[in-house]
Amino acid sequence: MELFLSGPSFRYECENLCRLFFPYSPVKVEELEDISRAACGEGPWAAAGISEENGAYRYEAVVSDGERQLARTHTAPSLEEYAMTDLLYGAFSELTGVQPAWGMLTGIHPVKLLRQYVEEQGEEAGVEYFQTHCHVTAPKAELARRVLRAQTPAVEALSENDFSLYVSIPFCPTRCAYCSFVSQDVEHAKKLIDPYFELLLAEVEKTAQVTRDLGLSLVAVYIGGGTPTTLSASQLFALCEKIRQVFDLSRCTEFTVEAGRPDTITQEKLVALREQGISRISINPQSLSDQVLRNIGRRHTAQDVVDAFKLAQQLGFSNINADLIVGLPGDDLESFRHTLNGVIDLGASNVTVHSLALKRSARLNAPGGDLSLHSQSGETAAMMDYSIQRLTEEGFEPYYLYRQTRMAGNLENTGWAKPGTICRYNIYTMDESNSVIACGAGGVSKLKDPYSGRLERIFNFKYPYEYITRNGEILERKDGVTTLYEQFRQRLH
């Protein structure tokens, strides 16, 4: 995909629109004085330009799929991003005949945008503006409204010094075919687990000291990955115990451990988590079709999922999340219905429905990978629609939602919960409504200025080997939390 730009081009936004309509064609950008000079190849291309004429601005968009070409122009009195992106979006939509369910939205936080509109205009006017201004379909606008209503009480309960803790365990039993995360399979990284774990405990302790000195209050803990249950039972116990020892949990209402892959779940590990008072776990089948599981490189079976659920329930876990993915290779609507109804029957209190998103580093995107699934957007949308209908019928409410690039069907990821079982951490991290301080490889601390709404980030090293060899730098970066909070508070005065 070639993109030619001229004038104040709003490059980032125009690039994202190209990816919206041609998600698996890398975008090559060239800036020109005049887009009429664009030299286009055989594949899809687009040109966007803005010029000033007689005190007004002329917006021009030309798009092509390699065979057909469409041009559109618009004149406005001012220079604005929306005038350019709306014109380009309309041209792409007319050329391709595609009207994305989420319209021209390319960001990952559509509900956060809706919240802004609702706060400015009221709920009814804000939802209507969200739908018409952004070209969002009515069903998706209504889904976003439901999510906003469900998460509002948790957001309004926050105080300015509240924060959440995320702890990363970047190891998995095997690497799934669709995965692009930094997690490493245990077979190749086994020797790293023990040194990684010991340094992680040190980072947790350092984080507790920093947040205690700042007078911050911990409200939610989430241990994720990767697959945290690749750790041994004794390590899981020690990690949870360390968190309980060094943090004040008097205002912490939830403690989640993402057990994840059923082939890593044992009675000994679940007992260790239960003894530490873990309030919520995830058992993530992705599918209950053995063939689909084989297609994505999972080594467990559907029966393993059933057995893990029953074992966890026998040991007293009542708040269990199950992650599912629509659009997996070899899956279809009938198979997905079986999966969704299966986890409902198992008694999941939370169900998170993801749309398959393939990043460049995923194995399915490698030469010989199965990309045929990208053209099955109708089937994928039908799976997602079924999940909304079925989970609503069963009394679940959508409470957090986010999107990613290159998602099957250009859809969304939605977390659903039975009444009283929402995961506040998921709301806070996706709504970006409080600070999330991260420990471990790949962790990103997102510090929310409670007085301006600005978000600052501190990055840990991505890979376990880097985390181990440069751990001193990780601990030094935690002092950056202190520096940023001091800046937040100085600006208040």
Side-chain angles (χ1 to χ4, degrees):
M1 177 82 194
E2 294 180 281
L3 173 62
F4 302 95
L5 301 172
S6 176
S9 55
F10 302 109
R11 172 173 175 164
Y12 176 79
E13 293 78 10
C14 291
E15 277 191 73
N16 280 337
L17 283 176
C18 290
R19 295 188 182 99
L20 180 62
F21 287 92
F22 297 92
Y24 307 106
S25 179
V27 181
K28 178 184 177 182
V29 181
E30 184 176 346
E31 297 194 13
L32 304 171
E33 289 186 11
D34 185 341
I35 62 171
S36 65
R37 299 179 181 177
C40 309
E42 297 180 355
W45 60 272
I50 305 173
S51 57
E52 191 173 0
E53 296 180 355
N54 302 320
Y57 290 90
R58 184 176 187 271
Y59 298 81
E60 183 177 5
V62 186
V63 296
S64 172
D65 59 6
E67 297 179 358
R68 296 167 298 137
Q69 183 172 312
L70 186 69
R72 290 289 180 267
T73 61
H74 172 71
T75 302
S78 60
L79 183 64
E80 57 182 53
E81 172 194 320
Y82 181 77
M84 185 70 261
T85 54
D86 187 57
L87 187 69
L88 185 58
Y89 171 85
F92 270 134
S93 185
E94 185 174 343
L95 175 76
T96 62
V98 173
Q99 295 180 317
W102 287 97
M104 65 193 302
L105 296 182
T106 58
I108 66 174
H109 302 295
V111 179
K112 186 179 178 182
L113 180 63
L114 176 59
R115 180 186 298 280
Q116 175 188 324
Y117 293 156
V118 167
E119 288 175 350
E120 293 170 351
Q121 305 176 36
E123 185 176 286
E124 291 304 320
V127 172
E128 182 179 358
Y129 184 76
F130 177 76
Q131 183 177 335
T132 57
H133 183 74
C134 303
H135 304 285
V136 177
T137 63
K140 296 306 180 188
E142 179 57 25
L143 178 63
R145 182 211 297 256
R146 292 176 66 186
V147 171
L148 180 60
R149 286 177 172 173
Q151 65 182 214
T152 295
V155 173
E156 291 181 344
L158 287 169
S159 69
E160 64 184 42
N161 289 320
D162 288 347
F163 79 101
S164 301
L165 176 69
Y166 177 79
V167 180
S168 169
I169 308 298
F171 304 102
C172 282
T174 59
R175 188 178 179 90
C176 295
Y178 55 78
C179 183
S180 65
F181 291 120
V182 298
S183 54
Q184 297 186 334
D185 66 85
V186 172
E187 291 179 4
H188 293 92
K190 189 172 183 179
K191 64 182 180 181
L192 300 178
I193 293 180
D194 287 347
Y196 175 88
F197 181 74
E198 292 305 317
L199 293 170
L200 179 64
L201 294 182
E203 187 187 3
V204 166
E205 193 159 349
K206 171 73 173 182
T207 302
Q209 174 203 324
V210 167
T211 56
R212 185 167 55 248
D213 291 346
L214 286 168
L216 303 184
S217 298
L218 181 58
V219 295
V221 179
Y222 194 102
I223 301 177
T227 305
T229 41
T230 53
L231 298 179
S232 67
S234 61
Q235 286 172 325
L236 286 169
F237 186 92
L239 176 58
C240 296
E241 184 177 50
K242 171 64 72 172
I243 292 170
R244 291 194 173 279
Q245 286 174 346
V246 299
F247 286 98
D248 178 1
L249 300 185
S250 59
R251 293 196 63 238
C252 183
T253 59
E254 64 179 38
F255 196 139
T256 297
V257 175
E258 200 175 279
R261 300 270 289 263
D263 45 337
T264 65
I265 296 172
T266 65
Q267 179 167 331
E268 186 182 16
K269 292 177 184 180
L270 290 176
V271 168
L273 296 178
R274 196 73 191 132
E275 289 177 348
Q276 283 297 326
I278 301 307
S279 58
R280 181 179 181 272
I281 62 171
S282 292
I283 299 174
N284 299 333
Q286 316 303 15
S287 174
L288 290 181
S289 161
D290 287 342
Q291 182 58 57
V292 172
L293 291 172
R294 285 192 290 271
N295 291 347
I296 63 175
R298 290 283 185 117
R299 291 183 178 174
H300 65 83
T301 65
Q303 186 59 48
D304 293 331
V305 176
V306 173
D307 294 343
F309 254 90
K310 290 182 177 178
L311 176 61
Q313 289 163 338
Q314 289 168 4
L315 294 172
F317 290 97
S318 59
N319 193 356
I320 305 175
N321 172 75
D323 275 10
L324 308 179
I325 300 179
V326 302
L328 289 171
D331 209 3
D332 57 25
L333 179 57
E334 189 58 38
S335 173
F336 178 75
R337 284 176 174 167
H338 168 75
T339 292
L340 181 60
N341 291 325
V343 298
I344 290 172
D345 291 343
L346 283 172
S349 57
N350 290 191
V351 178
T352 307
V353 183
H354 297 266
S355 297
L356 180 64
L358 287 185
K359 305 300 184 183
R360 290 191 182 94
S361 59
R363 181 154 48 87
L364 284 175
N365 261 341
D370 181 7
L371 295 179
S372 61
L373 57 102
H374 299 324
S375 62
Q376 301 171 358
S377 58
E379 183 93 355
T380 301
M383 295 180 195
M384 187 62 75
D385 289 345
Y386 179 75
S387 74
I388 295 171
Q389 170 203 328
R390 189 76 181 90
L391 289 166
T392 299
E393 290 173 352
E394 290 294 325
F396 290 80
E397 273 299 317
Y399 75 97
Y400 82 102
L401 182 153
Y402 67 103
R403 304 183 65 239
Q404 296 167 272
T405 57
R406 299 181 180 87
M407 296 184 81
N410 190 40
L411 296 169
E412 69 278 345
N413 304 322
T414 307
W416 297 77
K418 284 288 186 73
T421 69
I422 66 169
C423 177
R424 293 169 67 194
Y425 170 84
N426 285 332
I427 293 175
Y428 298 151
T429 190
M430 290 304 162
D431 187 68
E432 297 180 333
S433 48
N434 84 336
S435 291
V436 176
I437 301 179
C439 296
V444 181
S445 295
K446 299 178 181 180
L447 306 182
K448 174 76 174 289
D449 182 349
Y451 314 111
S452 73
R454 199 173 74 207
L455 209 66
E456 300 283 356
R457 290 172 170 81
I458 299 175
F459 295 85
N460 280 6
F461 295 116
K462 279 189 175 183
Y463 300 103
Y465 178 76
E466 286 182 292
Y467 183 87
I468 293 167
T469 57
R470 302 177 67 180
N471 193 258
E473 295 175 61
I474 294 285
L475 298 183
E476 288 175 8
R477 291 182 187 186
K478 282 294 178 286
D479 291 326
V481 175
T482 301
T483 301
L484 286 169
Y485 262 91
E486 288 175 347
Q487 291 174 3
F488 295 160
R489 291 165 179 174
Q490 286 171 3
R491 281 196 290 269
L492 175 65
H493 304 292

